Amino acid sequence: GYIEKIIDICKKEKISGVLSLIDPELSLLAKNKSRFDEIGVTIIGSSYELCGRTLDKMHMFSWLTENGYRCAKSYTDKKVFLQDVESQKISFPVFVKPARGSASISISKANDLETALFLFNSGENMMIQEFLRGQEIGADVYIDMLSGEVVSIFTKKIFEILRFLTVLLF
């Protein structure tokens, strides 16, 4: 009933635009864009396809590498991961996390093979990802909805306490 409730609020309060800062809600709003269009409400966010790509970390990894972006090695195939460990294409620590999701929920750092495999086998649709050392930076990109042009890019340092609070809140 989430979408119905938002539509009711938009009608009652004469709201003309809706946005969310919660990743899974962005996808849900985008999927129901036509329902909002019918009542004259603009969904402020990305397309359903783009939302889906960003929530699926392996899909995003594939898209990034296919388009020439360097990014952390990522695995959903345990055999390929084990081959890369043996050939030293990847080393520890690594991250083990759900292949779908947001807000760093259920991410674990594994310092050895035994822990990585235990975590990988402990959930459904898990992935292993290369641990990149250095300062984590988040980026928000604002794009003009009419022209499609980038208006502004904001970057921010991510601190562990901020990540911890985000997981608790969301």
Side-chain angles (χ1 to χ4, degrees), residues 48-97:
Y48 181 67
E49 175 191 51
L50 183 56
C51 290
R53 182 186 309 148
T54 59
L55 283 175
D56 183 327
K57 294 172 186 70
M58 281 307 293
H59 186 189
M60 187 67 176
F61 170 75
S62 297
W63 185 90
L64 288 168
T65 55
E66 289 166 10
N67 286 280
Y69 293 96
R70 292 179 27 197
C71 51
K73 292 178 189 80
S74 300
Y75 306 86
T76 53
D77 186 325
K78 186 169 38 175
K79 289 178 185 177
V80 175
F81 171 69
L82 291 171
Q83 289 170 353
D84 281 4
V85 168
E86 190 172 311
S87 65
Q88 298 181 340
K89 290 181 182 174
I90 189 166
S91 59
F92 292 93
V94 295
F95 281 120
V96 182
K97 57 188 173 182

Side-chain angles (χ1 to χ4, degrees), residues 150-164:
V150 173
V151 174
S152 199
I153 300 174
F154 297 90
T155 58
K156 58 200 172 277
K157 288 183 179 180
I158 305 294
F159 296 98
E160 282 303 313
I161 189 68
L162 179 61
R163 180 181 308 286
F164 177 72

Side-chain angles (χ1 to χ4, degrees), residues 79-150:
K79 289 178 185 177
V80 175
F81 171 69
L82 291 171
Q83 289 170 353
D84 281 4
V85 168
E86 190 172 311
S87 65
Q88 298 181 340
K89 290 181 182 174
I90 189 166
S91 59
F92 292 93
V94 295
F95 281 120
V96 182
K97 57 188 173 182
R100 290 190 56 82
S102 66
S104 300
I105 295 170
S106 299
I107 290 179
S108 298
K109 187 177 173 183
N111 292 310
D112 55 65
L113 182 60
E114 182 181 0
T115 305
L117 293 177
F118 173 78
L119 292 167
F120 184 82
N121 292 323
S122 68
E124 290 184 36
N125 198 23
M126 300 297 282
M127 67 182 291
I128 299 171
Q129 193 168 52
E130 178 181 23
F131 176 82
L132 300 178
R133 299 187 191 288
Q135 174 65 55
E136 183 177 356
I137 302 291
D140 294 318
V141 180
Y142 294 90
I143 300 171
D144 181 283
M145 291 178 65
L146 298 177
S147 69
E149 298 292 319
V150 173

Side-chain angles (χ1 to χ4, degrees), residues 1-10 12 25 28-29 32 35-36:
Y2 173 79
I3 293 297
E4 288 73 21
K5 186 70 171 174
I6 299 297
I7 288 173
D8 286 345
I9 292 169
C10 289
K12 288 178 189 170
E25 287 181 15
L28 186 58
L29 290 169
N32 288 278
R35 294 183 63 193
F36 287 91

